[in-house]
Amino acid sequence: MTLAPPAAAPGPARERLRWTLSDAWTVARRDLLHWVRSPAALGYQLAWPIGLVLMIGYVFGSAMVVEGGGDYRAFLMPGLFAQSMVFGVATTLTIVATDAARGVTDRFRTTPMSPSAPVLGRSVADLVNSVLELAILAGCALVVGWRFHEGPLRALAALALLLLLRFSLTWVGIVVGLMIRPEAAGGAWAPLFPITMISGTFVSPAQMPGWLGVVAEWNPVTATVTAVRGLFGNPGVGGASFAADHALWLAVLYPLLITAVFLPLAVRRSQRRDR
Amino acid sequence: MGGTTAALTAENVRKRYGRADALAGIDLTVPEGTVCGLLGPNGAGKTTAVRIFATLLRADAGRVTVAGHDVAADAARVRRCVGLAGQTPAVDEILDGRENLVMWGRLHHLTPAAARRRADELLDRFGLAEAGRKRVARYSGGMRRRLDLAASFVRAPRVLFLDEPTTGLDPRNRNEVWAAIRDLVAGGTTVLLTTQYLEEADRLAGQIVVLDRGRVIADDSPARLKSAVGGDRVEVVLCDPSDLAAATGVVARTTGAAPDVDAGELRVSAPVRDRIAALTAVLSGLADADVRVADAALRRPTLDEVFLRLTGHQAAEAA
């Protein structure tokens, strides 16, 4: 039998970084292959936001009033983009919980692979998935009459903000996924729904009752949605509050904060040796 | 390292979950190139022990070395010489068998070409060459287990941990997996496997360590374990439940020992010294008492009985 040469001992920092990236890519590649192999699952995942664009856009579209005026469908699309970024967390934590329950996570840990590679790989795969999701959503939105008015650069910046939100939430999904059984992953919707509803996604916080409006005002999802509306030149920007006036900054700051807290937690949790 | 090195040593290893002792101080030595069967019912601490040995879990106290490296102080080194196959096959259903193995090869830091070569070797070796391009979702339970074994063997580990490698498999698939494990052992790998199947430990292991409630209650070869518990037994299976009391009396009288009675299976057994004479005496005694016999045999004690003798309770009802 041919024996492979023993794995290299952790070398200098550059070597370690190279392996971290290579290992993360190996892990991400597996997930990307999943989506290529079972396009049905991907289609199912995308059917939801597309359905929302059509249903909410047309069912409520003419009945809803946008604060400060403007077309509701144009107001809604950035909200739906952000909502689908938030809902992506459910995918993340389902996959993470399933891998943990199946012993895949354990086997990762008995290989010489870089300790942070499994979680990095996960977030890379989720980002690629989100880019695809956003592209399809934006395509649908264009079909139903949504437009961006501030030029392609600002539009790209808006998409980048949406992906930044998704990226930061991936880490939350990983931490939670490592704590729960896969059967419990379905319960993720319970908090995700209010997080996206009590925000500027569907209506402006200013139109909500007092305290709820304040919660919605400061919701990180609102920051991203408002900033993205501004960058797309869609209606519903601006307002009487600090949070609304500084949406762009908050849309960058919130995700960075979330990442700063949950990324190390995710790496640590995946390394834990107490269960 | 020479052949005299122990592949694994454990000294007074303890692990506690809340108030419950999962491991209440176990000692264990597994010589290189041997198979050790860690045997016990659910909750005996088998999986906890394996997770500690494989660096997945930190012990509260005690010292463990694997292939000469301390698992607490030198986990990274240990990880380079162990493989692990857990209770559920950690194989990817959507990928095909070969892609699974190539991925694990890459994660073991083989070059892409070497990972592909190794995947083909392993598919061959574990009898999966023809199924290599099939999606794992279409594999049988035995094929999945063998692929899982292959994945844990990418780097030809010196010590391989198998946590209940055949749980949930039918007898044919179980035999396939056993053959694969024997093949690995023949290649020089030290194997530590946990099992609830006494037959499995008997078939594969040269050393059986019986765990009960976090303690080692026996550590010996299967043969010595059996002879320590008693020699041959005579066993009769009855046709009619109403004969159970009469048959128990006959067996007790003719063998001079207290019989074990399995009322559900209508089975009565007792230890005997002079084999054939005892069997003859039991059968003629039963005939005189008008007890109809469905089956009668002389046999060595099973490990189930060993467990019962060692712990005073049935393997299945512990936990």
Side-chain angles (χ1 to χ4, degrees), chain B residues 40-57:
Chain B
N42 274 326
K46 306 186 299 286
T47 298
T48 304
V50 165
R51 291 178 66 79
I52 290 172
F53 299 160
T55 76
L56 295 177
L57 188 66

Side-chain angles (χ1 to χ4, degrees), chain A residues 1-2 5 30 37 106, chain B residues 51 92 99 121 125 155:
Chain A
M1 184 187 54
T2 42
R30 155 182 175 241
R37 293 291 163 75
D106 280 348
Chain B
R51 291 178 66 79
D92 194 299
E99 286 167 332
E121 273 171 29
R125 173 164 192 180
R155 191 50 102 162

Side-chain angles (χ1 to χ4, degrees), chain A residues 184-271:
Chain A
W189 295 102
L192 290 181
F193 247 113
I195 287 172
T196 59
M197 293 299 287
I198 307 170
S199 76
T201 308
F202 295 99
V203 295
S204 162
Q207 291 165 291
M208 296 179 191
W211 63 272
L212 200 63
V214 175
V215 174
E217 192 92 58
W218 288 95
N219 186 336
V221 181
T222 307
T224 300
V225 172
T226 310
V228 165
R229 280 184 185 131
L231 290 167
F232 282 143
N234 293 144
V237 190
S241 74
F242 177 85
D245 286 340
H246 299 81
L248 193 56
W249 290 111
L250 289 175
V252 174
L253 193 65
Y254 272 132
L256 290 183
L257 265 177
I258 295 172
T259 306
V261 173
F262 283 91
L263 189 154
L265 270 181
V267 174
R268 256 225 331 260
R269 185 101 209 168
S270 70
Q271 294 296 302

Side-chain angles (χ1 to χ4, degrees), chain A residues 1-10 19 22-24 26-27 29-30 33-34 37-38 99 101-114 271-275, chain B residues 17 51 54-58 71-72 75 79-80 82 84-85 88-96 99 103-104 106-110 118 121 125 135 148 151-153 155-156:
Chain A
M1 184 187 54
T2 42
L3 272 184
W19 280 122
S22 153
D23 292 342
T26 306
V27 173
R29 205 174 152 269
R30 155 182 175 241
L33 267 175
H34 281 186
R37 293 291 163 75
S38 49
D99 271 357
R102 284 200 158 186
V104 176
T105 311
D106 280 348
R107 182 167 285 156
F108 282 148
R109 288 164 63 196
T110 57
T111 70
M113 71 190 283
S114 153
Q271 294 296 302
R272 261 168 75 150
R273 290 173 68 187
D274 58 359
R275 274 195 309 175
Chain B
Y17 290 116
R51 291 178 66 79
T55 76
L56 295 177
L57 188 66
R58 219 183 286 278
V71 296
R79 284 172 192 174
R80 278 194 288 278
V82 301
L84 167 74
T88 39
V91 290
D92 194 299
E93 303 262 317
I94 298 170
L95 303 187
D96 67 32
E99 286 167 332
M103 179 184 83
W104 289 110
R106 291 292 287 140
L107 294 178
H108 277 276
H109 296 174
L110 300 181
R118 183 66 177 151
E121 273 171 29
R125 173 164 192 180
R135 280 199 204 184
D148 196 48
S152 65
F153 210 70
R155 191 50 102 162

Side-chain angles (χ1 to χ4, degrees), chain B residues 153-174:
Chain B
F153 210 70
V154 164
R155 191 50 102 162
R158 286 171 60 192
V159 184
L160 186 59
F161 297 110
L162 306 174
D163 194 5
E164 304 201 357
T166 64
T167 296
L169 291 185
D170 63 32
R172 195 177 130 248
N173 280 315
R174 186 175 299 174

Side-chain angles (χ1 to χ4, degrees), chain B residues 231-234 254-256 270-282 298:
Chain B
D232 293 345
R233 299 178 71 83
V234 62
T254 48
T255 62
V272 293
R273 286 236 168 68
D274 41 357
R275 298 159 44 93
I276 303 299
L279 180 63
T280 316
V282 166
L298 278 169

